[in-house]
Amino acid sequence: MDYLTIIIAVVALLLGAILSFFFAPKIRKEKKLNTNQSLKDNSIQVKNSTSEDLFILENEISKLKEELTESEAKISEYEEENKSIKTDGDIISDSDQTSDEKLKELDEEITQLKDEIEDLEDEISDLKKSNNRVKEEVSALDEKVYVIEKEKREITETYQQNLKKLEETENENKVQKESLSFVSDILNANNAVNEKFIEVAHKTWEIYSTISNDLRYSLGYLENNFISDDFLEDCWNWRNQEVKTWIKDKRVVAIVGEFSAGKTSIVNRILKQDDPNAVELPVKSTETTAIPTYISKGIDFNCQFYSPSGDLKNISVESFQKVTKSVLDDINISSLVKYFVLSYSNKNLSDISILDTPGFGSNSDEIISKTTEVVKEADALFWVVDANTGEINNSSMNVIKENLQKVPLYIIINKSDTKSQNDLNDLKTKIEETLNKNCINYQEVILFSHKYEIDELMGILNGIAPKKSPKVISRVNEEINRTLKISKASLNKLNKETIDLNYDVDDSISILEQTIQNIGHSLEDMDDVISFEYPLFSKNYYKIKESDYGRFEKGMSQIIESTNSLPDNINEFRSNSENYSMKIDETNEIKHYIDYLSKSRKTFMELVNAYNPKLLN
Ligand SMILES: Nc1nc2c(ncn2[C@@H]2O[C@H](COP(=O)(O)OP(=O)(O)OP(=O)(O)O)[C@@H](O)[C@H]2O)c(=O)[nH]1
Ligand SMILES: [Mg+2]
């Protein structure tokens, strides 16, 4: 390769580099403009773009510097060669001259390039300065953004909290409105227009009060008055059963257990059988049933409630359905409502009355006492366990042990649809073991789900023996008759004793009379032996003949003797008279008692005969 070719290559290379540098500033300028624009738009983007620009420029400058060094090296190499040619006396050709000129031009261009590089370096330094400024601005902006974002976060948090509070208050208001409207419905409820109920309530109340007042009082005379507190409780239960048509002569089954175990769903399942449109009882995944609810057969659907004072009142189905635990949480409804009484014309309910109860949960103590109170009327209990909670827990075991062992107990493992058959078998075995370990008497453990058929469950319900109504009325009748018989026998005995005592009194009177008579006789006798003398010459005097003195002395000692016996005779008379009058009082008392008891019995018999004479059998 000759020198000329080398020079041309170097020049071309340099020209290429120079050209690229001529256009680069333009691009950079545009970039800078764009960068400034984006700075305004977004400080972070500006910062990144400026750094990128700098990076590119610095890269290009270092590349140019490398190329420049390379060119300078080649030029000096070429000059060296040129010098050596000239020194060797070679002929300098035209082309050599041209190359000198070109070298010169190249030199100039290099100088120009150096200037250009200097300019670029100045520009870089400016750019760095502006970059720093931008960085400062960006960091100031960042700070502001941070503060604004913090404020925004705080405001959002406060907003969210307020929103939550608002929702809570709205919910509370809703619940309070619902509970108020429920209480107002209850307070304004009309008495159920059920003449039969009113008549039975009235008649049985009269019978109950005759037993608890008149008869109890009249029988109070007896040491072992059979009308004890326990007997009166039996009478009250009898009266309740007579009045409560929803339990009278029915198998009463109470469904109990922890909340959300699915107790109400079991009732709904039975109600829905054969009647898909039956009014359902409220069911939720949270604590729901708030008031015990009886479900039994009636001519039509009917929604009523039974008050603690024994009134049956009507309530709308809407009011009934809006009552859940959350609605009644803050009000003590037990003073207004004892339980709801619903009737359905559902043939599955013939002879059966189901009592759905509030589940044990948050405020269990109160629920336990309320439930224990109402389940007293039941003939059997169904304890419902959610298959998903597994075991019956300790507190439930205690509730069962302490309060629910008076009638047959069945265990239902509910929601069985959510478990495999194997799991259910294991659970059943586990529950049976726990029941046995805790000495809890139970009939059987049943698997159920609201998705199952109800035949098996209904079979168990129908097999429960209804509790026998306590035979209090016939018992009262028998006891009155027995008491009257005893009292009359006592009266006869008293009459006899009075007659005997009367004789005693007569005897003591006779003795007293006799003593007094004896004294009289002695005095008369003594009087016979004393004669009054009127001598002429002396004072008057009494005299007893010596032969009569014996009589006189005898009379005297008889008088002394009789007089001495008088106090005893009087005492005997007194004591006999007292005994006699006591017997008379006793006799009068028992006569009066027999009269009173006979009258009470008469009232009682009239009331029972007017209500239901069969009760006397
Ligand atoms: N998978 C399934 N879920 C059920 C079943 N029975 C009830 N549930 C659900 O369990 C939840 C509670 O049901 P409820 O019937 O209200 O339970 P409860 O025992 O009456 O509850 P409280 O009235 O609060 O004592 C509801 O979400 C029902 O849908 C069942 O057999 N299977
Ligand atoms: Mg319920």
Side-chain angles (χ1 to χ4, degrees):
M1 193 187 288
D2 61 3
Y3 291 118
L4 190 63
T5 320
I6 293 165
I7 288 166
I8 288 167
V10 169
V11 168
L13 207 80
L14 281 170
L15 271 173
I18 288 159
L19 275 173
S20 71
F21 265 92
F22 274 122
F23 291 109
K26 245 187 172 181
I27 295 163
R28 281 192 301 273
K29 262 179 196 162
E30 273 170 24
K31 272 192 178 166
K32 193 178 159 194
L33 269 174
N34 286 342
T35 307
N36 287 340
Q37 183 58 43
S38 25
L39 250 178
K40 282 176 193 158
D41 295 343
N42 186 323
S43 62
I44 296 161
Q45 210 180 330
V46 167
K47 193 165 80 180
N48 291 343
S49 305
T50 318
S51 307
E52 264 173 40
D53 277 352
L54 275 173
F55 181 71
I56 292 166
L57 276 176
E58 278 168 352
N59 261 358
E60 280 172 0
I61 286 168
S62 66
K63 248 191 231 163
L64 268 177
K65 277 183 176 169
E66 268 172 34
E67 281 169 13
L68 196 63
T69 325
E70 256 175 50
S71 304
E72 278 174 343
K74 281 194 177 151
I75 287 166
S76 58
E77 208 179 290
Y78 175 74
E79 276 173 347
E80 283 299 312
E81 275 179 28
N82 209 16
K83 249 188 232 166
S84 66
I85 290 166
K86 276 180 187 171
T87 331
D88 290 347
D90 286 349
I91 300 151
I92 300 165
S93 65
D94 288 349
S95 59
D96 287 341
Q97 264 184 339
T98 321
S99 87
D100 270 349
E101 275 165 22
K102 288 214 170 151
L103 264 176
K104 213 172 158 194
E105 273 172 31
L106 264 177
D107 247 358
E108 276 168 14
E109 276 173 18
I110 284 170
T111 320
Q112 217 178 321
L113 256 178
K114 278 183 178 168
D115 290 348
E116 188 80 30
I117 287 171
E118 259 172 40
D119 286 351
L120 275 172
E121 278 175 344
D122 286 350
E123 204 177 317
I124 283 173
S125 135
D126 287 350
L127 218 52
K128 273 185 177 167
K129 273 183 201 154
S130 91
N131 188 26
N132 282 342
R133 223 178 27 252
V134 169
K135 269 185 183 167
E136 276 165 22
E137 275 172 23
V138 165
S139 101
L141 267 175
D142 274 352
E143 233 169 76
K144 271 188 192 162
V145 167
Y146 175 76
V147 172
I148 289 169
E149 274 184 351
K150 202 176 155 208
E151 275 172 13
K152 193 182 147 196
R153 261 201 318 277
E154 282 168 5
I155 289 169
T156 318
E157 250 171 51
T158 321
Y159 172 73
Q160 295 291 358
Q161 280 169 1
N162 287 341
L163 206 67
K164 211 173 145 204
K165 267 189 202 158
L166 189 73
E167 266 171 29
E168 282 170 6
T169 318
E170 271 175 2
N171 272 348
E172 269 172 31
N173 278 347
K174 201 174 149 219
V175 166
Q176 270 171 7
K177 255 191 196 168
E178 280 177 349
S179 59
L180 269 179
S181 109
F182 176 72
V183 171
S184 122
D185 289 351
I186 292 291
L187 292 174
N188 294 319
N190 297 322
N191 274 331
V193 189
N194 184 336
E195 279 166 20
K196 178 87 181 136
F197 174 85
I198 296 167
E199 189 193 322
V200 171
H202 175 70
K203 287 187 169 172
T204 52
W205 170 253
E206 280 190 327
I207 294 174
Y208 173 76
S209 33
T210 306
I211 298 172
S212 61
N213 297 317
D214 295 3
L215 287 172
R216 188 181 209 201
Y217 176 69
S218 49
L219 292 167
Y221 166 80
L222 297 176
E223 261 180 34
N224 294 320
N225 181 2
F226 79 96
I227 304 183
S228 59
D229 289 346
D230 284 351
F231 185 75
L232 274 184
E233 199 181 320
D234 284 351
C235 292
W236 182 247
N237 292 339
W238 162 79
R239 194 228 164 200
N240 273 346
Q241 286 196 29
E242 290 294 309
V243 174
K244 296 174 183 171
T245 49
W246 52 96
I247 55 172
K248 192 178 178 212
D249 302 330
K250 297 194 185 229
R251 307 176 157 86
V252 183
V253 180
I255 307 186
V256 288
E258 285 166 40
F259 77 94
S260 288
K263 300 178 290 299
T264 309
S265 301
I266 295 176
V267 176
N268 284 341
R269 175 67 188 86
I270 296 172
L271 292 175
K272 287 272 173 186
Q273 181 80 16
D274 304 326
D275 183 6
N277 299 322
V279 175
E280 286 190 55
L281 278 65
V283 160
K284 275 187 189 171
S285 54
T286 49
E287 292 184 56
T288 310
T289 307
I291 294 175
T293 306
Y294 268 106
I295 299 99
S296 62
K297 191 162 168 28
I299 301 163
D300 284 317
F301 174 76
N302 207 346
C303 192
Q304 296 168 322
F305 71 90
Y306 186 67
S307 76
S309 54
D311 295 320
L312 188 64
K313 298 195 175 196
N314 288 323
I315 186 165
S316 69
V317 67
E318 291 77 23
S319 287
F320 163 73
Q321 279 183 320
K322 75 181 160 208
V323 178
T324 59
K325 269 218 183 111
S326 58
V327 171
L328 297 188
D329 249 1
D330 295 332
I331 47 174
N332 176 14
I333 202 72
S334 48
S335 57
L336 299 173
V337 180
K338 192 157 184 187
Y339 46 66
F340 287 119
V341 179
L342 305 188
S343 61
Y344 288 80
S345 66
N346 183 320
K347 70 174 177 359
N348 293 300
L349 294 171
S350 329
D351 303 335
I352 294 173
S353 185
I354 304 174
L355 176 63
D356 184 23
T357 62
F360 304 119
S362 50
N363 46 357
S364 279
D365 284 352
E366 198 193 334
I367 295 174
I368 290 168
S369 67
K370 274 191 203 162
T371 306
T372 317
E373 166 68 24
V374 286
V375 300
K376 274 185 190 161
E377 294 175 344
D379 301 315
L381 295 176
F382 280 16
W383 181 279
V384 183
V385 186
D386 183 340
N388 298 295
T389 58
E391 266 288 24
I392 304 179
N393 63 34
N394 280 345
S395 68
S396 293
M397 279 293 170
N398 287 337
V399 173
I400 298 174
K401 239 197 265 182
E402 285 163 22
N403 307 296
L404 309 175
Q405 283 277 271
K406 288 189 182 135
V407 288
L409 172 74
Y410 293 81
I411 308 290
I412 297 187
I413 300 181
N414 199 29
K415 307 190 190 177
S416 292
D417 57 294
T418 58
K419 295 274 159 191
S420 70
Q421 194 55 46
N422 278 350
D423 286 351
L424 288 171
N425 291 344
D426 289 350
L427 183 59
K428 191 175 169 200
T429 314
K430 209 161 121 190
I431 287 178
E432 283 170 344
E433 277 170 11
T434 319
L435 290 165
N436 293 335
K437 207 167 68 196
N438 282 280
C439 302
I440 289 176
N441 292 321
Y442 64 95
Q443 304 299 309
E444 58 180 300
V445 179
I446 309 150
L447 301 176
F448 190 72
S449 154
H450 63 194
K451 294 181 181 162
Y452 288 7
E453 286 303 320
I454 58 168
D455 303 349
E456 191 195 343
L457 184 68
M458 291 315 296
I460 294 168
L461 283 171
N462 284 313
I464 287 161
K467 212 176 20 229
K468 286 206 175 86
S469 175
K471 286 199 141 205
V472 286
I473 301 301
S474 55
R475 167 101 199 273
V476 170
N477 189 31
E478 280 163 18
E479 287 294 331
I480 297 173
N481 289 342
R482 196 175 63 85
T483 312
L484 276 175
K485 212 169 146 191
I486 295 170
S487 307
K488 280 178 184 164
S490 307
L491 181 64
N492 280 343
K493 197 172 155 236
L494 274 176
N495 277 337
K496 268 189 201 142
E497 284 170 1
T498 315
I499 291 166
D500 287 347
L501 276 174
N502 200 11
Y503 286 138
D504 290 349
V505 173
D506 285 351
D507 286 352
S508 52
I509 288 173
S510 310
I511 291 168
L512 208 57
E513 278 172 354
Q514 191 59 52
T515 312
I516 292 165
Q517 252 177 36
N518 288 344
I519 293 172
H521 287 148
S522 301
L523 285 172
E524 276 171 17
D525 218 19
M526 285 164 75
D527 191 37
D528 277 352
V529 294
I530 296 171
S531 58
F532 193 63
E533 296 293 324
Y534 311 93
L536 277 175
F537 302 106
S538 61
K539 283 183 185 173
N540 296 343
Y541 62 88
Y542 291 94
K543 74 168 184 183
I544 301 171
K545 284 183 196 156
E546 196 178 356
S547 57
D548 286 339
Y549 187 74
R551 273 179 67 195
F552 181 81
E553 220 177 12
K554 192 181 163 205
M556 277 292 279
S557 63
Q558 271 177 349
I559 287 171
I560 290 166
E561 197 184 318
S562 297
T563 315
N564 283 342
S565 70
L566 255 182
D568 285 349
N569 293 341
I570 289 171
N571 277 345
E572 197 175 340
F573 168 72
R574 188 180 285 142
S575 124
N576 285 340
S577 317
E578 272 172 9
N579 287 344
Y580 176 73
S581 82
M582 262 159 60
K583 279 289 169 211
I584 292 281
D585 286 351
E586 239 179 280
T587 313
N588 285 340
E589 199 182 323
I590 204 158
K591 265 189 195 158
H592 173 76
Y593 168 70
I594 290 171
D595 268 7
Y596 188 62
L597 189 56
S598 303
K599 272 188 203 145
S600 304
R601 180 179 179 272
K602 193 169 168 260
T603 316
F604 172 72
M605 295 300 275
E606 279 170 4
L607 289 172
V608 174
N609 278 323
Y611 174 60
N612 180 6
K614 283 186 194 153
L615 291 170
L616 292 167
N617 300 332

